[in-house]
Amino acid sequence: MAALGLKSLPGYTAKAVPNTQLLEIAVVDTSPQRAQAVVNELTNQLILQSPWGPMAGPSSVRRL
């Protein structure tokens, strides 16, 4: 919310896509532009908190 300057978030869901390594994030809002901004920021925040995000140190990198 802070990153977008919003007082509250519209309704959203996040779920794993079966049999994949994907995560589906959906946002429902009366404004398509705000829904897109929210889903983009939720994705960004998830990446920032992941072990492979930009703040991850060398010890957190895993080779596949």
Side-chain angles (χ1 to χ4, degrees):
M1 291 184 304
L4 295 170
L6 298 175
K7 293 183 182 191
S8 64
L9 289 177
Y12 68 92
T13 58
K15 63 181 180 178
V17 178
N19 303 313
T20 73
Q21 295 182 344
L22 301 176
L23 182 67
E24 177 183 288
I25 302 172
V27 177
V28 178
D29 194 277
T30 56
S31 165
Q33 293 83 7
R34 185 170 43 227
Q36 182 178 8
V38 170
V39 78
N40 288 343
E41 190 56 34
L42 287 171
T43 302
N44 183 54
Q45 292 298 320
L46 182 62
I47 291 167
L48 289 173
Q49 294 180 33
S50 77
W52 300 278
M55 300 305 288
S59 64
S60 64
V61 175
R62 296 190 289 186
R63 304 261 183 227
L64 299 177

